[in-house]
Each structure stands twice: as C-alpha cells, then as structure tokens.
Amino acid sequence: MMLFTEVRGLPVLAPEPAGSGPLGTVSSLTVDVGSGSVGHVRFRGGRFGRERALPWDAVDTIGPGAVRLRSAAAPGPVPFHHDLLGHRVLVDTGTEHGTVLDVAFDPRTARVLALFTTRGELPAERLLGLGEYALVVRAH
C-alpha cells in the first residue's frame, strides 16, 4: 500500500538502460472513479516544466524512491483531471463528509484502497463520481 502524498514529488525515471536522469517529478495521480483505480501519472518536467501524463500501463515500478517507467512511451495529452487531494467529499444523501487528506492505493495493481478524509476513512468501494465541485460517495 502507498499513499498519494508519498508519490507526489517522486522522480519519474525512464526505463533502466536509458539513464539520462529524471523525466520530471510526480505532480499528482489521476483516478478513474468508474474502475476505482489510478489511470495516469501526472508529472512536471522537461524544458518548459509543463505538466505531462502517462497511462498507468507505462509504469513498471513505483516505490519510495522513484517511479520507473516500463517503456519509453512518449507522454500523451494531459487527460482531464480533478486532484483528489483537498477535494470536498459529498455523500449521495447530500451530506458533506469533509475533504480528502490522502488516498491509499496498491502500487502493483493501481487499485484505490481507501480515502482518508477530515472526517475519517472511506472504503474505495463507495466511490461514485468525481467532478469539479466534489467527490461523491455512497452512504453505505
């Protein structure tokens, strides 16, 4: 298990033979709420420091020291994204459940395991949708 806050700021490294230094540093992870998993690794780097994204499939390993890529795939267009960290949480009954402090996920499968909010822990199975205004979760 890893936390989003542990991944943010890690260097993104090219596959093993191409040791030309980091491609950038992780700025955030994009969650696909429908599948309940991390879909993209977003990072900043390169000549102009623009944000770029790679699909989770391009990640070989993710650990406490770095995110190592599986292939030298070129970063694609940055997909639409709402950062879960700091996002308001609403229950489908209309009540508020604080804001997201952190997200636990399995670094091997990219599966989201739990959300940690200012009002406690929520299991990932309760995720319903994510929009500009809030993350919506099932009541139970």
Side-chain angles (χ1 to χ4, degrees):
M1 176 181 86
M2 283 193 82
L3 299 172
F4 277 26
T5 55
E6 293 174 321
V7 176
R8 191 176 269 178
L10 287 179
V12 177
L13 304 175
E16 208 54 62
S20 63
L23 302 173
T25 57
V26 176
S27 54
S28 63
L29 299 174
T30 298
V31 172
D32 175 14
V33 174
S35 69
S37 61
V38 176
H40 288 82
V41 175
R42 300 166 75 85
F43 63 98
R44 290 194 181 281
R47 186 179 308 189
F48 302 108
R50 286 189 292 230
E51 188 167 66
R52 298 182 289 169
L54 284 167
W56 183 263
D57 295 354
V59 174
D60 183 35
T61 58
I62 187 165
V67 174
R68 170 116 12 224
L69 301 179
R70 174 182 325 276
S71 65
V78 179
F80 186 72
H81 168 77
H82 292 296
D83 195 350
L84 276 180
L85 300 181
H87 221 74
R88 169 182 280 143
V89 180
L90 293 177
V91 180
D92 60 356
T93 58
T95 60
E96 197 166 324
H97 193 82
T99 58
V100 178
L101 297 173
D102 217 335
V103 179
F105 73 104
D106 183 331
R108 288 170 290 133
T109 65
R111 191 96 184 125
V112 173
L113 304 172
L115 296 149
F116 302 102
T117 75
T118 53
R119 291 199 166 163
E121 183 177 336
L122 293 170
E125 298 80 41
R126 291 178 54 189
L127 292 174
L128 283 177
L130 176 63
E132 190 173 318
Y133 180 72
L135 168 68
V136 180
V137 296
R138 251 183 236 96
H140 292 289

